[in-house]
Amino acid sequence: MTARIVVTGKIPSAGLQVLRKAGLDPQAWSQDTAMSRQELLQQVKGAEILVTLLTEKVDGELLDAAGPQLKAVCNVAVGYNNIDVAACKARGVTVTNTPGVLTDATADIALALILMVTRRLAEGERVIRAKTSWQWGMHYMLGTGVTNRILGVIGMGAIGIATARRAKACGMSIIYYSRSEIDTKIATELGAKKVLFDELLATSDVVSIHCPSNDSTHHLMGKAQFEKMKKTAFLINTARGPIVDEQALVDALRNQEIAGAGLDVFEFEPKVNAGLLDRDDVVLIPHLGSATTETRDAMAMLAADNAVAIANDRKPLTPVA
Ligand code: GLV
C-alpha cells in the first residue's frame, strides 16, 4: 500500500511527476482557486502526507481532521507561518519547507522594489498609462539614488544575503541585524557589518526585511521603529506581511516619518490596507517573490522530494527545525 498523499492546492506538474515517478498516487487539487476550508477539512481525511501551499492554514483542527495516521506536512514555500509547528510536533507530524530554491527569485524582487520605490518607477509608469502629459525636465520626478547609501538587512539568512549581494553591486553598503552569525567569508565579501536593531533603523537608507514571520517577529516594524528610521529612508518587505504593523506604516508615511515603502507581502493578505492604495510613495505588488516558472517548479519538486522521502521512511531533505 502506498502512502495516501493529498496535495491541497494546485502545484506545478513537475512536482506531481516526482511523486508519480516514485510510485505514489497523489490526490491533487487541480483548480487555480484555493479549496474552501470545509472542503479542505474533508479532503485531508485519512492522509498520511499533506503537500500544502502558504495560503492554507495548517492548524490543530486540520491536523485532527486528517487523523492520527498523518506523518508529514510538506509546505511548498520557504516560509511556514501558515503552519502551527507546535501542533504538528505535538502530534508527531514532520514539517518541511522549500529553502534555497527561491532565494535568487525573491532577492531579485527585493532589489526590484528597492529600485522601483527609490526611483519612483511605478509612479512614472502610472503617469504614462494615465496618458497624463509629461515632458523631460531637469527637476521632473526626481528620485533618490542608491549608490553610496546604506542597506539595512533584517534577517541575514540566504535571501537577506542574496539581496545584500545585489545591493552591493549597485554601490550600497550593507549593515544587518540577525539572530545568527553569518559566514565570515560572506561578511567579508559583502563588507557587511552586524549592528543592533536600533542602530540599523537609525542608520539605514533602505531597510529590507528577510526574517521569518513568527510570534517574536510579529509587528517587528511598528510605530516606535518607524519613528527611529530616517525621514529619507525606505522600507522593503518581501518576507511576510505580519512582520510589519501595516496601519503604523500608513501613519508613518502620512506623517512623513519615512520616505516610502516597497511591499510584496501584506499583513492581511490578499487584503491591502486602503491607506496604502492611493499613495505614490509606495510600490505594491501581489506576493510575487518566488513567482517564476522555474522557481515554482523547483519548489514543487523539493516539496515532492520531501514527501517521497517521508513516504519511504527516509529523512526529509529540508525539515523545519
Ligand atoms: C514564499 O513566499 C515562500 O515563503 O516561499
Side-chain angles (χ1 to χ4, degrees), residues 82-264:
N82 58 312
I83 299 175
D84 183 340
V85 177
C88 289
K89 268 198 185 148
R91 291 163 178 80
V93 172
T94 302
V95 179
T96 68
N97 67 342
T98 61
V101 293
L102 46 73
T103 300
D104 287 325
T106 309
D108 287 346
I109 288 289
L111 179 68
L113 285 173
I114 293 172
L115 295 176
M116 284 177 80
V117 71
T118 55
R119 298 298 302 275
R120 304 172 62 179
L121 301 183
E123 187 186 345
E125 213 226 13
R126 279 193 294 276
V127 166
I128 295 200
R129 284 188 187 273
K131 302 195 172 91
T132 310
S133 74
W134 65 278
Q135 196 168 36
W136 185 90
M138 204 60 166
H139 303 281
Y140 180 60
M141 214 175 262
L142 302 187
T144 307
V146 293
T147 310
N148 297 325
R149 308 267 174 191
I150 298 173
L151 173 71
V153 177
I154 299 177
M156 198 67 157
I159 300 173
I161 289 170
T163 302
R165 275 208 178 99
R166 285 156 172 77
K168 186 174 188 298
C170 294
M172 300 189 81
S173 51
I174 313 297
I175 59 175
Y176 69 96
Y177 167 72
S178 203
R179 257 182 330 157
S180 46
E181 292 303 322
I182 64 166
D183 191 297
T184 43
K185 256 207 222 141
I186 295 174
T188 310
E189 167 208 327
L190 293 170
K193 184 173 158 231
K194 187 170 181 177
V195 295
L196 296 173
F197 189 41
D198 281 357
E199 186 183 341
L200 180 140
L201 295 173
T203 320
S204 300
D205 298 300
V206 177
V207 172
S208 191
I209 301 175
H210 300 285
C211 59
S213 173
N214 53 38
D215 288 347
S216 69
T217 59
H218 182 78
H219 285 188
L220 184 68
M221 291 300 299
K223 183 177 183 331
Q225 289 67 40
F226 292 124
E227 280 169 4
K228 288 181 182 144
M229 285 174 66
K230 292 182 184 174
K231 288 195 185 331
T232 50
F234 298 87
L235 177 77
I236 306 297
N237 190 7
T238 52
R240 284 290 184 268
I243 300 169
V244 175
D245 177 342
E246 211 162 88
Q247 187 53 48
L249 171 62
V250 170
D251 295 341
L253 290 161
R254 276 190 188 139
N255 300 334
Q256 297 182 338
E257 278 158 11
I258 66 169
L263 306 174
D264 184 39

Side-chain angles (χ1 to χ4, degrees), residues 74-87:
C74 303
N75 213 34
V76 190
V78 65
Y80 49 88
N81 57 317
N82 58 312
I83 299 175
D84 183 340
V85 177

Side-chain angles (χ1 to χ4, degrees), residues 22-54:
L24 299 167
D25 180 22
Q27 177 191 327
W29 185 247
S30 58
Q31 293 174 35
D32 280 318
T33 47
M35 253 187 243
S36 71
R37 179 76 181 174
Q38 248 0 68
E39 186 133 24
L40 187 61
L41 292 170
Q42 277 299 321
Q43 295 289 329
V44 299
K45 274 197 173 60
E48 283 164 77
I49 298 172
L50 297 179
V51 176
T52 53
L53 302 185
L54 60 83

